[in-house]
Amino acid sequence: KGAMLWLQQTHKFSEHESALLLAQCIVTARIAQQQETLRQRLPKQDYSSVQASFAELKHQVKSTNTLAELNGTEGLASKHYFAQLTPLVPPWCSFTHRKRRPPPDPFNALLSLGYTLLYSVHHSLIVLEGLQPWLGFYHQPRGTHAALASDLMEPFRHIVERHALNSINEMKQEDFNTGDNGACWIAPKARRKYLATLWKKLHTTVTHQQKSGEYLWQIQHQIQQLILHLRDDKPFIPYGIR
């Protein structure tokens, strides 16, 4: 920890090739988790075509030459992913695509709230481990945004998405309200329950790279793996990459 680690972080993330390689790893992990979510949720006959599409997208990630190209590929994957999730969301939600500012429907509201919790967890653990949270290798810093938290949460976003899918099918339209600006928000009681159950989900024990631990531990372990990469140039393997 300390100034030396910050210098290593700044140096590594400012090198285009190094930053691109890290970003490609993170996006590949994100797409792999999207694919696994769909594998678990879609009928087998529908998943076969989805599997081919996501295999092609992961191949495109490897061939990108800039962060802008990579962002475009990730955007295509995300658009395809949420289109496949749409039929799994109750019709009363009127969910058609991912929109965050402001979230216009109940499912988007659950996603935004869940992502906020996940972002906060990453921000706190990044600071605890001694990295600069505002300096990322993929997302660009802006204002007080912790770009590195946005980077490192990518392989864990599926936790929120799966939890939101489970939750929305147990909720009612009365658990949500829409403001004058079109923003959908969750009623206080439903909000507290959703956050409490999501927090409990983060304490679920999972195994990655033959290491078992709660999701919270896996998040911290991924940050520690990044530090080893910065200090000793060891390979960085994000959560979810086998």
Side-chain angles (χ1 to χ4, degrees):
K1 296 181 181 180
M4 181 56 71
L5 180 57
W6 296 346
L7 288 171
Q8 291 166 331
Q9 180 184 359
T10 302
H11 173 70
K12 202 81 170 180
F13 292 179
S14 64
E15 289 184 339
H16 175 264
E17 290 186 6
S18 297
L20 180 61
L21 183 60
L22 287 170
Q24 286 172 331
C25 289
I26 284 288
V27 172
T28 298
R30 167 64 170 150
I31 294 175
Q33 293 291 7
Q34 289 174 332
Q35 183 179 340
E36 177 60 17
T37 297
L38 296 177
R39 186 192 69 79
Q40 294 178 8
R41 303 273 178 167
L42 296 179
K44 188 174 292 186
Q45 64 271 20
D46 295 337
Y47 176 68
S48 57
S49 61
V50 170
Q51 185 178 23
S53 298
F54 276 85
E56 174 59 28
L57 285 163
K58 284 187 285 189
H59 177 73
Q60 288 181 27
V61 166
K62 295 178 182 178
S63 63
T64 54
N65 295 310
T66 66
L67 292 175
E69 284 183 23
L70 180 60
N71 186 255
T73 301
E74 185 195 7
L76 287 175
S78 182
K79 184 177 180 179
H80 186 42
Y81 173 63
F82 284 110
Q84 296 296 323
L85 290 186
T86 300
L88 304 178
V89 179
W92 58 264
C93 291
S94 301
F95 174 76
T96 58
H97 63 285
R98 173 68 183 136
K99 186 177 180 183
R100 45 182 191 150
R101 293 180 182 170
D105 59 78
F107 189 62
N108 267 303
L110 291 180
L111 291 176
S112 291
L113 182 59
Y115 290 152
T116 298
L117 175 62
L118 192 63
Y119 169 87
S120 297
V121 167
H122 276 79
H123 189 179
S124 298
L125 290 175
I126 287 167
V127 172
L128 179 67
E129 292 296 331
L131 289 169
Q132 300 180 64
W134 54 87
L135 180 59
F137 52 82
Y138 182 36
H139 293 86
Q140 299 305 305
R142 59 181 189 278
T144 58
H145 173 235
L148 187 57
S150 292
D151 289 349
L152 294 179
M153 67 183 275
E154 290 292 345
F156 296 96
R157 283 181 180 268
H158 68 283
I159 303 170
V160 172
E161 292 144 10
R162 294 176 191 177
H163 184 66
L165 283 169
N166 291 337
S167 298
I168 197 65
N169 283 290
E170 297 175 355
M171 300 174 82
K172 300 178 181 179
Q173 200 163 357
E174 294 74 32
D175 291 321
F176 300 88
N177 294 286
T178 302
D180 294 336
N181 64 346
C184 180
W185 53 278
I186 311 166
K189 184 178 179 180
R191 178 188 178 98
R192 288 193 296 270
K193 181 180 179 181
Y194 176 72
L195 286 174
T197 51
L198 178 55
W199 184 249
K200 184 177 179 180
K201 184 70 176 177
L202 291 174
H203 287 279
T204 302
T205 298
V206 290
T207 302
H208 172 62
Q209 296 287 313
Q210 300 181 331
K211 295 184 180 295
S212 295
E214 295 179 352
Y215 275 122
L216 289 171
W217 181 87
Q218 297 286 358
I219 290 170
Q220 187 170 15
H221 182 67
Q222 180 177 260
I223 297 167
Q224 292 167 348
Q225 293 301 107
L226 177 61
I227 291 172
L228 289 175
H229 173 72
L230 296 176
R231 283 180 170 164
D232 305 324
D233 209 29
K234 291 188 176 182
F236 174 62
I237 304 176
Y239 177 81
I241 295 296
R242 295 183 174 87

